[in-house]
Amino acid sequence: MTPSTELHSPMPRRRAADQEKLTVTLLDLDTFGERLTYLFDHASTYYVLRGDPLVDPDVIDRLTAEGDPDLLTFTARPPLVAQWVRDRTGLPLAEQAIRNFRAGIRQNSRPAITKALAQFWRIHPDLLDPTVPASDFAPSDDEVARKTHELVTELGFVGFNARDIASSIGDVSDAGREQLLQLVEGIARARRAARDDPAS
């Protein structure tokens, strides 16, 4: 099976505050199975508009408030998740394996599967590894890193946390750090403008 790295998750992006809340909740759970179960039970709603997944939370909120009849709501179940992971990775993964992961009957030993599950739910892959200390996800004291992290979360980039950003830019000059923040702010503004433009 050929992997499809261009395959995107149907799950909605989260606002920074919602992503942080989910992160804290997952860190309070002790096992991979418990964390996976929480995601299935509490973070598996997705939306389809005229045949395509809708991932922008602001647009979802607006269309929901308007009662748009074309906005359909679904819940991701093990068959869908297993198929998505197979398509994404090219690796075999049965629906029953997902159920066994949730029940704690089987432990996942393939990093590519863990990474794909994290990509499906738009979370940092280390959140599915209970051996990673919660301190790795503590908010950064670096204001630029914190703001940058909030913006990249808004844009849908969840493969790193605020401390990763702070570590990466630790030796960068103040001017360079501000340039990075301005760049990300510009991208976020452009996306918001495109989203809010009725002609787009």
Side-chain angles (χ1 to χ4, degrees), residues 59-96:
V59 176
I60 291 169
D61 287 350
R62 176 172 58 79
L63 294 181
T64 299
E66 293 172 355
D68 191 319
D70 291 326
L71 182 66
L72 304 179
T73 304
F74 297 93
T75 300
R77 305 293 185 191
L80 172 71
V81 176
Q83 183 64 57
W84 191 91
V85 170
R86 289 195 298 269
D87 292 342
R88 175 79 183 192
T89 65
L91 297 173
L93 181 68
E95 172 189 342
Q96 188 58 47

Side-chain angles (χ1 to χ4, degrees), residues 25-41 81 85 93 96-119 121 123-132:
T25 299
L26 292 175
L27 289 172
D28 281 340
L29 301 173
D30 294 331
T31 68
F32 171 66
E34 289 175 324
R35 295 181 184 188
L36 194 60
T37 295
Y38 184 89
L39 291 169
F40 270 109
D41 292 347
V81 176
V85 170
L93 181 68
Q96 188 58 47
I98 294 280
R99 298 186 187 280
N100 289 343
F101 292 158
R102 292 184 63 182
I105 297 172
R106 175 181 172 188
Q107 295 299 313
N108 175 42
S109 60
R110 292 179 290 180
I113 296 295
T114 300
K115 181 179 179 181
L117 289 169
Q119 289 169 333
W121 271 288
I123 61 173
H124 193 292
D126 284 352
L127 285 173
L128 292 179
D129 182 356
T131 66
V132 174

Side-chain angles (χ1 to χ4, degrees), residues 155-170:
L155 293 170
F157 300 114
V158 295
F160 45 86
N161 54 41
R163 286 181 175 250
D164 294 331
I165 297 174
S167 176
S168 297
I169 65 176

Side-chain angles (χ1 to χ4, degrees), residues 37-58:
T37 295
Y38 184 89
L39 291 169
F40 270 109
D41 292 347
H42 302 283
S44 290
T45 299
Y46 68 99
Y47 303 85
V48 174
L49 182 67
R50 302 182 188 91
D52 293 319
L54 185 61
V55 300
D56 188 310
D58 292 329

